[in-house]
Amino acid sequence: MSRRVAVTGLGVVSPLGCDHNLFFDRLLAGQSGVRRIQTFDVSAYASQIAGEVVDFEVDRFIPKKEQRRMDPFCHYGIAASKLAVQDAGVDFTKEDPTRCGALVGSGIGGLQILEEQMATYHSRGPRFSPFMIPQMITNILAGYVAIEYGLQGPNYCITSACATATHCLGESMRLIRDGEADVMLAGGAEGSICVLGIGGFCAMRALSTRNDEPTRASRPFDRGRDGFVIAEGAGVLLLEEMERAKARGAHIYCELAGYGRTCDAYHITAPHEQGAGASRAMANAIADAKLRPEDITYVNPHATSTQLGDLCEIQAVKTTFGEHAKKLALSATKSMIGHGLGAAGGLESVALAHMIEKGVVHPTINLEDPDAGCDLDFVPHKARELKINAALKNSFGFGGHNATLCFKAVS
């Protein structure tokens, strides 16, 4: 079926705020949401900084009794979903519930609940909460969102590490385009800033240790980058069939027009050295949108600020676009909010929807000394006005998972 997919609702819970307009304004200003971790004592850890959510009022979104039965990743994801529905102006009580669904995932799931339950075990013995398993599993968030709105259509969770939210968005687009749904809530959430999360990534030596300069620690493409900055939050978009959205007079930010997904089949944590899988994902997304590489104006890269990851992604961009790569604008959202893991693609897609609608690109901050080979236009330091006709959003995850979305201006 030849159905188009509109983006009509945006919801965020982020280190830069829990309102999508405020979130984008702060991105445009080049403001960093990274700081020293406040939620537990990090003095014994090599990395002591993160993009924490600091102004989140869970009582606004979830009754207290229900809060206690959920991990923070569900708090964030439910809130972002409600904000997206509110922004879109959809009343699900007036919709056919079998035509509405939710794909809202998490890369790690209930890590904080697992940590708490193990602490209880060591202090009191085997006294586990009956809610432990449903609190932990990554798919429970999609279930909660469906229950909240009575969504009886497609409902499941894609867990693909840091590509989670992008896969959820892409598959939701396909469900609408193929006629299996009319409205989908899609994105991702993460709440892994805890002892296990920080300790595990520190053991991998994956995190930045620029602890004395938190706001300067996330520095994609810079020669001085030393690892990613972990972050938390949620990014959820409400997607709906284009003609339906127009008929109800919805505010349409942009169109989600293409989707590519591939696997490196190379290494569990390292990307392919030439970025082969990432390049194919980009090419597939462009083709799926029925566009040519030269039609793309902007790329929102995965850009984690790791030594190998950034270089491989740039190589993939150059392979995909050839000489046109020099004409692209790219800017790294993670330079300001850190890496939200399974939520990253959702948060960055919210930012990209704003960039397309408003014709302005947020900057890459902390890019002071571009690394060798990082010679593309990364929009350093300051936002830039730019008319975007079509753009890509890249996300890559441990396991070799690659996902790319292609967004277009509404025509």
Side-chain angles (χ1 to χ4, degrees):
M1 298 179 67
S2 181
R3 286 162 45 110
R4 297 166 63 196
V5 179
V7 176
T8 59
L10 305 176
V12 298
V13 174
S14 85
L16 289 179
C18 302
D19 171 271
H20 69 85
N21 289 304
L22 177 63
F23 168 70
F24 188 62
D25 287 345
R26 288 174 172 171
L27 289 175
L28 288 182
Q31 184 174 334
S32 175
V34 179
R35 65 173 195 166
R36 183 177 177 84
I37 293 170
Q38 303 293 308
T39 50
F40 66 99
D41 182 7
V42 291
S43 57
Y45 297 84
S47 180
Q48 302 169 4
I49 55 179
E52 287 185 300
V53 171
V54 296
D55 61 352
F56 177 60
E57 299 176 11
V58 65
D59 292 345
R60 286 180 53 199
F61 305 100
I62 305 169
K64 287 188 180 295
K65 182 178 179 180
E66 295 180 25
Q67 292 173 26
R68 294 193 294 270
R69 298 177 179 177
M70 298 177 185
D71 185 88
F73 89 94
C74 282
H75 295 165
Y76 300 152
I78 291 169
S81 297
K82 288 188 173 184
L83 290 168
V85 172
Q86 178 182 329
D87 185 45
V90 171
D91 182 352
F92 283 113
T93 65
K94 298 179 180 179
E95 302 292 339
D96 178 352
T98 66
R99 301 289 301 169
C100 304
L103 269 69
V104 187
S106 178
I108 296 179
L111 197 60
Q112 293 192 45
I113 290 297
L114 174 62
E115 185 175 288
E116 291 172 7
Q117 290 293 296
M118 285 306 298
T120 299
Y121 168 75
H122 286 297
S123 64
R124 300 175 58 196
R127 299 181 181 181
F128 300 104
S129 167
F131 299 107
M132 181 184 71
I133 298 302
Q135 285 175 318
M136 285 175 49
I137 53 180
T138 56
N139 66 294
I140 200 67
L141 172 55
Y144 274 129
V145 172
I147 291 168
E148 176 67 29
Y149 292 109
L151 311 180
Q152 298 174 31
N155 180 263
Y156 53 97
C157 164
I158 297 171
T159 294
S160 51
C162 304
T164 292
T166 304
H167 274 129
C168 287
L169 283 158
E171 296 300 334
S172 293
M173 180 204 77
R174 289 172 60 89
L175 287 167
I176 295 173
R177 194 170 64 183
D178 292 347
E180 296 183 47
D182 295 324
V183 182
M184 293 293 299
L185 282 163
E190 209 73 85
S192 298
I193 299 176
C194 58
V195 168
L196 286 176
I198 300 299
F201 282 115
C202 279
M204 295 178 64
R205 299 181 180 179
L207 299 180
S208 171
T209 58
R210 195 182 286 254
N211 299 317
D212 295 334
E213 300 179 299
T215 61
R216 300 181 64 222
S218 185
R219 43 199 317 113
F221 312 118
D222 189 82
R223 196 181 304 271
R225 67 192 185 282
D226 69 331
F228 74 84
V229 174
I230 193 172
E232 63 184 355
V236 176
L237 286 70
L238 190 141
L239 309 177
E240 58 183 300
E241 193 273 325
M242 181 69 76
E243 295 308 313
R244 168 207 145 87
K246 289 180 178 179
R248 73 177 185 88
H251 176 81
I252 300 173
Y253 291 95
C254 58
E255 177 181 355
L256 180 49
Y259 172 43
R261 63 266 205 261
T262 66
C263 183
D264 288 347
Y266 174 72
H267 191 274
I268 58 169
T269 57
H272 189 277
E273 293 177 352
Q274 281 76 49
S279 177
R280 287 190 295 110
M282 284 185 271
N284 290 349
I286 295 168
D288 190 42
K290 297 181 173 56
L291 298 174
R292 304 166 300 168
E294 52 267 36
D295 295 322
I296 305 300
T297 309
Y298 170 84
V299 174
N300 186 273
H302 189 54
T304 58
S305 191
T306 57
Q307 286 291 333
L308 188 58
D310 288 5
L311 293 177
C312 291
E313 184 169 13
I314 293 307
Q315 180 57 54
V317 169
K318 291 178 178 178
T319 299
T320 305
F321 290 97
E323 286 299 311
H324 184 64
K326 298 177 182 178
K327 299 178 182 179
L328 292 170
L330 303 88
S331 60
T333 311
K334 292 183 182 72
S335 67
M336 290 171 277
I337 63 172
H339 187 359
L341 309 178
L347 289 163
E348 291 156 3
S349 291
V350 169
L352 182 49
H354 271 295
M355 287 188 265
I356 293 172
E357 184 194 37
K358 294 179 171 62
V360 60
V361 174
H362 73 59
T364 300
I365 67 169
N366 300 324
L367 183 54
E368 298 165 354
D369 182 17
D371 200 355
C374 295
D375 52 358
L376 301 180
D377 179 6
F378 297 117
V379 193
H381 313 307
K382 293 184 179 181
R384 180 188 306 165
E385 291 187 1
L386 180 68
K387 181 180 179 181
I388 301 174
N389 295 315
L392 298 186
K393 165 67 227 142
N394 286 336
S395 294
F396 313 129
F398 285 173
H401 310 298
N402 307 302
T404 299
L405 301 173
C406 182
F407 293 88
K408 292 171 55 179
V410 179
S411 59

